[in-house]
C-alpha cells in the first residue's frame, strides 16, 4: 500500500481511489470482515471501478473465497458500474467470479465442481471440471440458459475448431480421443487417436509405435501418406 500525506492508503496501480479506513463489520452470511481481512492473500483494485477485490482462505470450507469491497467500506456482491472482468490462474481456469455463481448446484449430482473456463467463441459456454474422489469429468455448460450443452460424461474435452464447432473428447484417462460436435450432438470420430491437435495433426499407436499424420476435420479423411514417425 502507498500512503499520502493525509494518511489515505492506495493499492498499486489504481492510485486514484483510497482503500477505506473503516469497513462494515459483517459481510454476507454474517461473516466477520476482520476474519477475512486478517487472512487476506490478495488485496487488489478493480480497474475502472471504486472497488477492491479481497482474496482469502475460508478455514471452514477449506476453499479460497473472493469478496468485493467498495471504497466507502461497504461489501457488495459485484463491482459497481458495467465493468466486467475475470480473475484466472495461468492455466486459464477462472478463479473469480466463483463457480457457485454460474452453475446450478442441482446439475452437479454427487460430483464437486472444482474449476471452469470460458469458451472464446461463445462467452456463455463454460468448460466445467467435476470431481468425485479420483474420478474426473468435464462438460460444457451454458450459463445463460443454465443447462448442460454437453453432459459431463468424459474425462476431458477441448475445442479444436471454433468456427466448425468441433471438439475432441476423451472418455477416460489414458484412453483415446474422438471428435464431437456439441451443437448437433454428433460423434464424428469415435475415440481413436492418442492425441488430436487443433491443426488436424493426430497421433496413433500402431505396432508398438506412435505415428503422426493429418486428418481433414471437414471430410474426416486421414492423410496417412503424410505420415510422420
Amino acid at each position: 500500500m502507498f500512503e499520502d500525506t493525509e494518511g489515505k492508503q492506495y493499492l498499486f496501480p489504481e492510485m486514484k481511489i483510497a482503500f477505506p479506513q473503516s469497513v462494515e463489520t459483517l459481510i454476507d452470511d454474517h461473516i466477520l470482515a476482520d476474519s477475512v481481512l486478517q487472512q487476506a492473500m490478495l488485496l487488489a483494485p478493480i480497474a475502472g471501478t471504486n472497488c477492491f477485490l479481497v482474496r482469502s482462505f475460508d478455514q471452514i470450507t477449506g476453499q479460497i473465497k473472493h469478496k468485493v469491497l467498495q471504497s466507502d467500506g461497504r461489501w457488495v456482491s459485484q463491482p459497481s458500474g458495467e465493468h466486467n472482468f475475470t480473475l484466472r490462474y495461468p492455466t486459464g481456469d477462472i478463479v473469480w467470479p466463483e463457480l457457485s455463481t454460474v452453475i446450478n448446484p442441482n446439475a452437479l449430482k454427487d460430483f464437486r465442481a472444482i474449476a471452469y473456463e470460458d469458451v472464446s467463441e461463445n462467452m456463455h459456454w463454460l468448460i466445467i471440471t467435476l470431481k468425485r474422489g479420483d474420478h474426473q469429468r468435464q462438460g460444457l455448460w451454458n450459463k445463460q440458459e443454465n443447462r448442460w450443452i454437453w453432459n459431463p460424461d468424459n474425462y476431458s474435452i477441448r475445442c479444436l475448431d471454433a468456427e466448425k464447432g468441433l471438439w475432441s473428447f476423451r472418455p477416460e484417462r489414458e484412453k483415446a480421443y474422438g471428435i464431437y460436435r456439441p451443437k448437433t450432438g454428433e460423434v464424428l470420430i469415435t475415440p481413436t487417436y492418442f492425441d488430436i491437435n487443433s491443426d488436424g495433426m493426430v497421433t496413433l499407436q500402431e505396432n508398438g509405435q506412435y505415428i503422426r499424420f493429418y486428418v481433414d476435420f471437414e471430410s474426416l479423411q486421414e492423410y496417412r501418406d503424410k505420415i510422420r514417425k
Side-chain angles (χ1 to χ4, degrees):
M1 284 190 172
F2 293 81
E3 186 170 296
D4 63 15
T5 54
E6 298 177 357
K8 294 180 180 178
Q9 296 176 319
Y10 301 84
L11 292 172
F12 182 83
E14 196 71 28
M15 307 294 284
K16 297 179 181 178
I17 302 173
F19 194 81
Q21 295 180 323
S22 63
V23 301
E24 287 180 330
T25 305
L26 294 176
I27 313 179
D28 55 303
D29 300 327
H30 306 293
I31 299 172
L32 286 173
D34 280 353
S35 65
V36 172
L37 290 171
Q38 288 171 4
Q39 300 178 56
M41 305 162 63
L42 171 73
L43 294 176
I46 301 174
T49 73
N50 65 339
C51 300
F52 301 88
L53 190 66
V54 182
R55 183 183 187 187
S56 62
F57 181 75
D58 189 327
Q59 293 182 332
I60 297 176
T61 63
Q63 296 178 331
I64 292 175
K65 296 289 187 179
H66 295 85
K67 306 296 181 184
V68 177
L69 178 64
Q70 291 190 155
S71 60
D72 61 4
R74 292 187 297 122
W75 298 94
V76 295
S77 58
Q78 294 287 339
S80 58
E82 298 180 354
H83 186 85
N84 296 319
F85 76 101
T86 55
L87 179 65
R88 303 172 186 267
Y89 285 120
T91 59
D93 286 339
I94 299 173
V95 183
W96 194 91
E98 293 177 350
L99 184 52
S100 60
T101 65
V102 298
I103 187 169
N104 182 352
N106 295 329
L108 304 180
K109 297 182 179 179
D110 53 349
F111 280 84
R112 178 171 58 93
I114 63 168
Y116 76 108
E117 58 182 297
D118 52 19
V119 181
S120 58
E121 84 273 16
N122 190 325
M123 296 304 292
H124 301 304
W125 288 14
L126 304 171
I127 300 174
I128 307 286
T129 302
L130 308 176
K131 276 215 169 181
R132 182 180 62 202
D134 295 331
H135 197 54
Q136 175 179 299
R137 284 288 179 262
Q138 285 190 329
L140 201 55
W141 179 260
N142 187 321
K143 66 178 181 181
Q144 188 178 46
E145 299 177 4
N146 206 32
R147 66 177 181 89
W148 291 110
I149 297 171
W150 188 1
N151 288 328
D153 298 326
N154 295 286
Y155 178 80
S156 64
I157 61 175
R158 182 163 55 97
C159 184
L160 293 175
D161 190 316
E163 185 177 345
K164 296 182 175 68
L166 300 178
W167 289 62
S168 68
F169 68 99
R170 192 182 207 178
E172 300 291 344
R173 187 176 182 180
E174 306 299 333
K175 298 295 183 180
Y177 287 89
I179 296 181
Y180 181 76
R181 182 175 278 127
K183 286 185 177 179
T184 61
E186 298 174 89
V187 176
L188 303 177
I189 296 179
T190 58
T192 304
Y193 303 110
F194 180 79
D195 192 21
I196 301 176
N197 292 338
S198 58
D199 61 358
M201 175 72 74
V202 300
T203 305
L204 189 65
Q205 188 176 23
E206 282 189 350
N207 302 321
Q209 287 188 323
Y210 290 104
I211 58 173
R212 302 177 71 199
F213 52 90
Y214 285 98
V215 171
D216 183 344
F217 287 153
E218 191 69 35
S219 65
L220 303 179
Q221 180 181 350
E222 294 182 346
Y223 289 90
R224 296 199 180 206
D225 55 321
K226 303 184 184 299
I227 206 164
R228 293 170 60 182
K229 294 185 178 180

